[in-house]
Amino acid sequence: NAGIIVTYPPLEVVSTNPARDATNVDYATPTITATFNREIDPATISPKNFRVLFGTSDSLTGSVSVSGRTATFTIGGDGLSFS
């Protein structure tokens, strides 16, 4: 019995807001969005696997939601909380 194997293209970020490596971003901005090359299954994304880094190692705390190809990270707490 041969099965059908469906291979999807690897998930890639095609754009972000604010832009990657943006400077002088207002820390009070409550959301960060990432648009991917294909739709995302909401059950497969969480704050544990969708991290927003501040600098090179500190990740911001918050929640993530998905709509189609876009994931929206909402910064939690005072806007600059680290995990």
Side-chain angles (χ1 to χ4, degrees):
N1 269 330
I4 297 173
I5 298 174
V6 178
T7 303
Y8 292 102
L11 193 60
E12 295 178 17
V13 175
V14 295
S15 66
T16 61
N17 186 19
R20 182 181 176 137
D21 298 324
T23 59
N24 300 317
V25 174
D26 182 1
Y27 293 120
T29 302
T31 60
I32 297 168
T33 61
T35 302
F36 293 86
N37 60 327
R38 59 181 170 86
E39 286 198 15
I40 308 161
D41 177 355
T44 65
I45 195 163
S46 73
K48 291 185 182 210
N49 62 18
F50 186 94
R51 294 182 7 186
V52 176
L53 297 179
F54 179 81
T56 58
S57 62
D58 292 320
S59 57
L60 296 174
T61 59
S63 60
V64 64
S65 61
V66 174
S67 177
R69 297 183 320 130
T70 302
T72 301
F73 183 87
T74 302
I75 298 169
D78 62 5
L80 198 56
S81 299
F82 300 99
S83 63

